[in-house]
Amino acid sequence: MKRIGKAIIEFLLTFVLALVVTSIVSVLWNLIVHGQGTVDWATSFRFGIVLGILLPWMNARNRKKH
C-alpha cells in the first residue's frame, strides 16, 4: 500500500510539472511564431500523462536494479 501511494504522488508531481512546462513552451512558441499567446492544452495534457507514467516507472526500475 505504501508503494502505491508513493507511485501516485510521483505520478502527480511529474504530471503537474510536465503540464506546466509544456504549457509555458506552447505559449512562448505561439507568441513567437503566430503572435498569439494561446496554449495547446491537448498536447500539454498528453505530455503530462505520458511523462507522468514513464518517468516514475523508469525511476522505480532503476531503484530495483540498485
Side-chain angles (χ1 to χ4, degrees), residues 3-15:
R3 288 188 332 189
I4 293 172
K6 187 175 180 179
I8 291 171
I9 289 172
E10 273 190 71
F11 167 79
L12 289 174
L13 289 174
T14 307
F15 170 77

Side-chain angles (χ1 to χ4, degrees), residues 7-39:
I8 291 171
I9 289 172
E10 273 190 71
F11 167 79
L12 289 174
L13 289 174
T14 307
F15 170 77
V16 169
L17 184 63
L19 181 70
V20 169
V21 170
T22 308
S23 300
I24 292 169
V25 170
S26 175
V27 167
L28 291 175
W29 175 261
N30 285 329
L31 275 173
I32 292 168
V33 174
H34 303 290
Q36 298 175 358
T38 57
V39 177

Side-chain angles (χ1 to χ4, degrees), residues 58-66:
M58 290 173 65
N59 285 338
R61 284 186 59 206
N62 284 337
R63 277 187 241 127
K64 268 188 177 179
K65 285 182 180 179
H66 294 110

